[in-house]
Amino acid sequence: MKKKTKGIHEAYAKDPIKADLDIFGREVDPLTRRGFLKKSSLIAMASVVGASIPFADKMPGGLMPALLANELHPFSVKGKDGLVYLNDKPINAETLPQFLDDPFTKPEHFFIRNNGIPPAMKDIDLSKWELRIEGESCERPTTFKLDELKKRFKHYTYALTLECGGNNRFDVVPATRGNQWHVGAVGCGRWTGVRLKDVLESCGIKKDAVYIGYYGADTSLSGNGEVPISRGVPMHKALEDETLIAWQYEGQDIPYMNGYPLRLAIGGWPASVAGKWLVRVVVRNKVHDGPKMGGGSYRIPCTPVAPGEKVDPNDMCILESMAVKSLITFPLSGVHAPLDKALALRGKAWAGDLSVSQMHVSIDYGATWHKAKLKKPINHLAWQEWEASVKFPTKGYYEVWARATDSKGKSQPMVLGAWNPGGYNNNSCHRIAVRVV
């Protein structure tokens, strides 16, 4: 990390809104801070975006224009490209929206979400890598060599959407602690491996089994050798056909920062349940109690609460299926569009364990919506591609908003859904800025 960024993360952790420096060490212009806008400051808004705002009367109060909210700066780490740096200890980086435009997210563009220190690449010996299956509800604890795992069980490939539970935390108001992800802590690609259920069934699953938990080879930042995270899922999710023990992503070895050489690939739920650098799976007769399974980690209020309200830990439930969500991947926010031509749009949509049934876009802050063309998913738990085109009535500054509706009829909220202390599962509409000239 460059010297100028030292101390910035501490300031951000205390109050990301009031911090005078962003995560890259740059001074923050007060006009670009989240939530600076009021409906009474339309002149200031027009000045900042450099154009009149035709639908300004319909813009939600207290909202920053997408032109500023979507401003991201790329960086790269070894084997990765087009990512935005959020943290270096542990390494966390999100994908810029334009690199999510492909049908499947390329390995070099897949986001990074680490909780500890990955095993050193030089210490990873494929001939010695082992996976242990055990636990109170495992009948025959067994250790598999990696090669044995590949030879003994049938291989499957599924396109799976993996999304960090805190994706889009940046837009949560009041702000919460944690990585201030924008919209790029998500990716979808084709994972190859063996079904977890085939491996578990070969070891025997007792009737009292209710949960599985994982353990990886990563270690705590404290340096004490402890496991930084060990989460899991109920048996019904563990035994789902698409739940894999994977060693390939998009036909290649899984990227090192994404769990090489072995990880769980579990779509639709927060990606924290899909353990990386996998060395052990335990079959439990109770809800798994590993690190980051308790407290407020990946938990949301069991019933709705007021924004900023303190919630009793006993009233928090584990975050499971992710909410319906969508993303505009083309064009980039800030695009200039001619008045006399329709603007082509495209993006992705997903809905946790469900599928997306409808997709709409708006150019007047949700006053009216226009239906988009939506493709079917390639398989269960894969995201869906969509496309649309819009025309603008006059020159000026516009925002294009995207809204998905899931197979049970639930749509994305325009600005913010149910608030929670962890800033999890925010599925507010994605939006981009368009200047019509």
Side-chain angles (χ1 to χ4, degrees), residues 18 63 180 201 262 283 368 375 405 430:
K18 293 181 180 178
L63 198 68
Q180 297 299 303
E201 288 173 353
L262 198 67
V283 186
T368 59
K375 292 185 179 180
T405 302
H430 185 222

Side-chain angles (χ1 to χ4, degrees), residues 321-339:
S321 178
M322 296 293 285
V324 60
K325 205 163 186 177
S326 62
L327 181 65
I328 302 170
T329 59
F330 178 87
L332 294 179
S333 186
V335 64
H336 286 61
L339 177 62

Side-chain angles (χ1 to χ4, degrees), residues 284-338:
R284 309 299 307 272
N285 60 6
K286 59 182 180 180
V287 174
H288 185 53
D289 54 2
K292 297 208 171 180
M293 276 296 294
S297 296
Y298 303 101
R299 288 175 178 260
I300 58 177
C302 300
T303 56
V305 300
E309 181 178 339
K310 187 175 181 179
V311 185
D312 188 308
N314 295 322
D315 296 328
M316 299 284 280
C317 292
I318 296 171
L319 175 61
E320 295 187 341
S321 178
M322 296 293 285
V324 60
K325 205 163 186 177
S326 62
L327 181 65
I328 302 170
T329 59
F330 178 87
L332 294 179
S333 186
V335 64
H336 286 61

Side-chain angles (χ1 to χ4, degrees), residues 234-253:
M235 292 307 299
H236 73 85
K237 187 67 176 177
L239 300 179
E240 198 170 35
D241 283 349
E242 294 81 10
T243 297
L244 299 178
I245 301 173
W247 55 80
Q248 275 193 345
Y249 177 74
E250 285 297 294
Q252 305 174 25
D253 289 339

Side-chain angles (χ1 to χ4, degrees), residues 182-437:
H182 285 71
V183 295
V186 65
C188 179
R190 292 159 292 192
W191 300 86
T192 298
V194 296
R195 285 174 172 165
L196 176 60
K197 74 173 184 178
D198 292 346
V199 178
L200 295 184
E201 288 173 353
S202 76
C203 299
I205 303 171
K206 294 182 180 179
K207 292 183 179 180
D208 64 352
V210 297
Y211 231 86
I212 66 101
Y214 69 77
Y215 291 88
D218 49 335
T219 56
S220 172
L221 295 172
S222 66
N224 59 12
E226 293 181 354
V227 176
I229 184 169
S230 174
R231 288 178 49 73
V233 295
M235 292 307 299
H236 73 85
K237 187 67 176 177
L239 300 179
E240 198 170 35
D241 283 349
E242 294 81 10
T243 297
L244 299 178
I245 301 173
W247 55 80
Q248 275 193 345
Y249 177 74
E250 285 297 294
Q252 305 174 25
D253 289 339
I254 294 172
Y256 168 60
M257 278 292 169
N258 298 121
Y260 173 85
L262 198 67
R263 70 168 293 166
L264 289 174
I266 303 176
W269 288 36
S272 56
V273 303
K276 301 184 289 291
W277 308 289
L278 189 66
V279 294
R280 186 155 62 107
V281 173
V282 289
V283 186
R284 309 299 307 272
N285 60 6
K286 59 182 180 180
V287 174
H288 185 53
D289 54 2
K292 297 208 171 180
M293 276 296 294
S297 296
Y298 303 101
R299 288 175 178 260
I300 58 177
C302 300
T303 56
V305 300
E309 181 178 339
K310 187 175 181 179
V311 185
D312 188 308
N314 295 322
D315 296 328
M316 299 284 280
C317 292
I318 296 171
L319 175 61
E320 295 187 341
S321 178
M322 296 293 285
V324 60
K325 205 163 186 177
S326 62
L327 181 65
I328 302 170
T329 59
F330 178 87
L332 294 179
S333 186
V335 64
H336 286 61
L339 177 62
D340 58 348
K341 290 184 180 180
L343 178 66
L345 306 165
R346 58 178 180 263
K348 304 295 190 299
W350 58 97
D353 281 335
L354 305 176
S355 61
V356 179
S357 61
Q358 294 185 70
M359 190 71 215
H360 293 84
V361 296
S362 175
I363 63 169
D364 55 11
Y365 303 99
T368 59
W369 293 91
H370 310 278
K371 195 168 185 178
K373 294 180 181 179
L374 179 69
K375 292 185 179 180
K376 293 182 179 180
I378 190 173
N379 57 249
H380 180 48
L381 303 177
W383 67 16
Q384 296 167 241
E385 297 179 89
W386 63 266
E387 60 183 26
S389 65
V390 293
K391 292 199 72 173
F392 302 93
T394 62
K395 295 180 180 180
Y397 172 85
Y398 292 83
E399 292 188 6
V400 177
W401 293 47
R403 185 184 71 185
T405 302
D406 69 25
S407 51
K408 288 189 175 181
K410 185 173 291 188
S411 298
Q412 292 179 256
M414 281 184 57
V415 180
L416 182 66
W419 184 89
N420 63 82
Y424 294 121
N425 213 16
N426 177 21
N427 68 331
S428 56
C429 291
H430 185 222
R431 56 202 175 96
I432 63 168
V434 179
R435 198 187 309 267
V436 178
V437 295

Side-chain angles (χ1 to χ4, degrees), residues 12-16 169 174-180 419-424:
Y12 234 71
K14 290 178 182 178
D15 193 338
R169 184 181 280 126
T176 63
R177 298 183 65 181
N179 288 310
Q180 297 299 303
W419 184 89
N420 63 82
Y424 294 121

